[in-house]
Structures are given as structure tokens and as C-alpha cells.
Amino acid sequence: MRTTVGIIGAGPAGLLLARLLHNAGIDSVVLESRDRAYVEHRQRAGILEQGTVDVLRAAGAGERMDREGLRHDGIELRFAKRRHRVDFPGLTGGRSVMVYAQTEVCKDLIALQLKEGGPLLFEAEALAVEGADSESPRVRFRHDGREDVLECDYVVGCDGFWGVARKAIPEELTQVFERTYPFSWLGILADVPPSHDELVYAHHDRGFALLSMRSPQVSRLYLQVPEGTDAGEWTDEAIWDELERRFETADDWKLERGPITQKSVTPMRSYVHEPMRHGRLFLAGDASHIVPPTGAKGLNLAVGDVVTFARALAHLAETGSAERLDAYSETCLRRVWQAERFSYAMTTLLHRTPDATPFEDRIQLARLDRITVARSAEQDLAECYTGFPLE
């Protein structure tokens, strides 16, 4: 099998890349180790930056998003029983975000790929990327019980942190930067309408909490918990009680409760692998970088990566210049590090570490108070949250 671009991974990054390449007249093949049902139902991110929304619309994948997604023009910060709304359009010149789950993005892109695009092979496990530094890289993969080879001009690894793509870059050529946080998120899905019409980020001396949603009928909520927590250790009643404590306000706001349909624990870490390119192998998304979810940047960073690659390859086809392809890693990493900075800042602003001192507690409150009184601080938060330029 041969193609111009071999894409490993059918998450939102790999699927969007295939769509962008198709629209540019460039052929591709997508290899996904899981089956279609798994890809369409794995719960991940739910906040789309303005730039991501614009890209999906331009790619022809925004119709259902615009019909069913929830546009949000701000978030609410809570601390010391106070409430402060951050107005995105007023601080950014009109930008907003969209609540639309990754599962739904994948469903839309899979339908388009199967209808109009190139091959999308489910249950096709990539085994290795070979010849990354040659002019003809290839992907060895297993599909339908037999091994095969995908010959490519370029390979893009959208296969996540545990995938094979990154392993094809020699260790002596790489640098890794990482931080592991001493806490996790206990996340729940609940069949109850959200208790607020925008996301609520709560700082509390018992730990962080986040009120989010998946739809007007389904709430998504999170609690900061100790690292290594087992979700099964928490009863439904204990989760709601703790959420109620951490979202407490001085007014009559109330947290609505409902049946919890899913519980999971998400570890918190920051990770960057440099470079994001080796020869004709390009890394995108979690294959190269991970952010703690506090800043809602993971999916959006992956979108920025594949947009950068697709535009660079189209530029090569149109002009014969590989300048943009050669600058891929540098271009992406500028955006990645800004997202890492913001995600780190939000995480350290809102979470309480197990060994926090009273001084550190007061510094957090001072940082939060600064956002409420200084437009420059509030504007930086709004600009970062709604998204960095894609190039």
C-alpha cells in the first residue's frame, strides 16, 4: 500500500489532518489500532478554542457542531465564596469557545472521511515507523490478522503518548521536559442539567473543582483528589457533597444533583518532547506534548499541529518550497510552550498542593484577586483560554 501521507491514529488530530489534506488534494491513509466504536465513544476534551472552531467550519466539519455545540462567552472563577465572570468577547475582540465533546468531533470527521476521503483502517495496529530519515518512510502495521507495510512520502504520528511514532526518533537527538503534579482529577458524567450556563473554576482550601458540561442535559464535573486515587473509593453522595463544599458561594447559588453515569481519575502532568520532527516523520498532539487539563489546551494544541503540517505541505505542493515543512517543529513548539505556560499557570493558581504553606495559600488568593481588578491580568487569561494563533 502506498500514499503521500501516512497518518497513525484516528483521534481528532489524525482525522482532521486527513480532512485538511483531502481538501488540499493530497492523498493519505489513516491507521487506527482501535475499532470505530471505541474511537467514537472515548471521553476526552470538550472545549474547542475559537481557532479550532474556525478550522472545523472551514474544513466542512462544523455543521453539527454549530447546531448542537454550546458557545461560551466566558468562564466563572470562584474563590473565598466570591464569583467573578471573565468576559471573553469583551477582552479579546470577540473571541469565544465552544463546548463540543471530542467524541462528537471524531464522529463528524469519521463520517466525512468514510464518505469522501482516503482509506481509514480501524483495528490496524502500527508496529513501527521505519526509514524516517529517508525519502521513503514506511509504517509496518497489522490488519486483519496479517502484517503489511504502508509506503509514504511523509508519516505523521497522531498516535498519542504511548504510540510508536515518537520511538522512531533517536534518543540522542531528543530532549524531554516534564513535570508530574501531586494530585489528580476525579471526573464524573451526570444526567443532570448543568448548574451554571458557563464553566466554573473553583479554588478552595480543600482543593480545586470544575463545573463543566457535555450538553444542556449532561453535566461534567471534576474534583481535585490525591494522586493515586481509585474512583471506586468515592460514593456518589460523597462526590456531590464535596462538590457542593468547593463550589459554595455567598449568594443563593445551588448545585443540582443527579445520577452519576461515569467516574474516572485523570493524572496531571506536563510533558514536551523536542523536536517534533525527524526527517520525514512529524509528531502531533499527545505524541509530542501533554498539558494538564486545567487550561483546556490538549485537543486544541493537536489541531494547531496538524493545521501547521497541512498548510506547510500544501505550500510545498504549490511553490516547491519546503521552508514551512522545515520549520514545522519550531513553529509548533512556540505555540506548545505558550500553552504549557498557561496550563501550568492555571493549575498552580487553582490547585492546592499537599504541602502548601499559609504563605502559598495567600499568594494564590492574591493572584486570583489580581484577575478581578486588573484588566491586563484578566485579558491575558481570556486571550490564552480562547486560543493562541495557529501559526
Side-chain angles (χ1 to χ4, degrees):
M1 185 181 294
R2 176 160 186 83
T3 190
T4 301
V5 181
I7 302 171
I8 308 175
L15 292 166
L16 177 59
L17 176 57
R19 181 65 182 176
L20 296 174
L21 295 174
H22 169 77
N23 289 349
I26 300 169
D27 63 292
S28 69
V29 173
V30 183
L31 305 175
E32 168 57 46
S33 62
R34 302 283 193 162
D35 62 26
R36 180 176 178 178
Y38 179 89
V39 174
E40 291 187 337
H41 291 92
R42 56 185 165 194
Q43 292 291 332
R44 293 290 189 274
I47 303 295
L48 308 183
E49 294 176 354
Q50 182 70 65
T52 297
V53 170
D54 295 342
V55 165
L56 289 169
R57 287 173 178 157
E63 181 181 351
R64 193 164 70 94
M65 174 190 69
D66 283 330
R67 187 173 66 249
E68 300 179 10
L70 306 174
R71 171 179 163 149
H72 280 203
D73 287 336
I75 59 172
E76 183 172 288
L77 299 177
R78 290 192 187 178
F79 61 101
K81 297 185 181 181
R82 296 168 56 189
R83 305 171 65 177
H84 177 78
R85 182 176 185 268
V86 179
D87 173 18
F88 291 159
L91 292 161
T92 65
R95 298 211 305 269
S96 62
V97 297
M98 182 79 76
V99 175
Y100 191 62
Q102 174 176 312
T103 51
E104 306 310 309
V105 174
C106 287
K107 289 174 186 176
D108 297 342
L109 290 169
I110 286 171
L112 284 170
Q113 184 71 7
L114 294 177
K115 180 181 178 181
E116 303 173 5
L120 167 54
L121 304 182
F122 291 104
E123 299 181 89
E125 180 188 6
L127 303 174
V129 177
E130 300 173 341
D133 55 355
S134 73
E135 293 187 359
S136 302
R138 55 199 173 275
V139 183
R140 282 198 300 107
F141 67 99
R142 183 183 294 111
H143 186 237
D144 287 339
R146 65 182 181 87
E147 283 197 20
D148 205 341
V149 175
L150 177 62
E151 303 281 352
C152 318
D153 293 332
Y154 305 93
V155 176
V156 182
C158 304
D159 52 345
F161 181 79
W162 301 107
V164 301
R166 189 177 67 252
K167 298 174 184 176
I169 301 180
E171 286 189 16
E172 62 269 20
L173 301 180
T174 69
Q175 280 187 291
V176 170
F177 307 86
E178 59 186 326
R179 178 188 178 105
T180 300
Y181 298 87
F183 42 75
S184 299
W185 277 12
L186 171 62
I188 65 167
L189 280 175
D191 286 338
V192 60
S195 300
H196 193 60
D197 56 1
E198 293 177 334
L199 273 70
V200 178
Y201 288 77
H203 171 279
H204 193 276
D205 58 10
R206 295 175 63 91
F208 168 75
L210 171 62
L211 185 157
S212 183
M213 64 281 296
R214 282 294 177 262
S215 74
Q217 294 77 39
V218 178
S219 293
R220 181 73 158 153
L221 301 107
Y222 299 92
L223 282 171
Q224 177 187 343
V225 293
E227 188 178 15
T229 292
D230 178 355
E233 297 172 353
W234 284 75
T235 66
D236 292 6
E237 184 179 11
I239 291 172
W240 287 118
D241 288 347
E242 190 62 27
L243 286 166
E244 199 165 79
R245 290 188 194 98
R246 298 189 194 184
F247 286 124
E248 185 181 7
T249 63
D251 57 19
D252 59 357
W253 181 89
K254 181 182 178 183
L255 178 68
E256 299 296 334
R257 302 187 181 203
I260 294 175
T261 59
Q262 185 183 109
K263 301 177 189 177
S264 61
V265 172
T266 302
M268 305 282 282
R269 65 186 305 214
S270 300
Y271 174 90
V272 180
H273 176 282
E274 297 186 7
M276 292 176 61
R277 176 197 179 181
H278 174 58
R280 294 198 171 203
L281 167 64
F282 298 77
L283 303 180
D286 286 1
S288 182
H289 43 75
I290 294 172
V291 289
T294 327
K297 287 285 164 276
L299 181 153
N300 297 290
L301 271 184
V303 167
D305 295 342
V306 299
V307 167
T308 299
F309 176 81
R311 289 176 177 173
L313 194 58
H315 181 74
L316 173 62
E318 292 166 5
T319 68
S321 171
E323 180 182 6
R324 294 189 182 180
L325 269 183
D326 292 340
Y328 171 81
S329 184
E330 179 184 355
T331 301
C332 291
L333 284 169
R334 282 198 299 270
R335 192 168 184 267
V336 166
W337 277 111
Q338 286 301 316
E340 292 283 356
R341 174 193 67 82
F342 175 65
S343 299
Y344 173 82
M346 287 286 282
T347 301
T348 57
L349 173 70
L350 294 164
H351 294 75
R352 191 174 191 277
T353 59
D355 59 351
T357 65
F359 177 84
E360 290 167 324
D361 291 339
R362 293 303 293 266
I363 288 294
Q364 282 184 313
L365 292 174
R367 289 171 63 192
L368 284 160
D369 190 60
R370 178 68 177 169
I371 293 170
T372 70
V373 298
R375 181 180 174 86
S376 59
E378 189 178 26
Q379 185 171 16
D380 183 64
L381 190 159
E383 289 179 344
C384 291
Y385 197 98
T386 55
F388 305 104
L390 293 178
E391 287 196 45

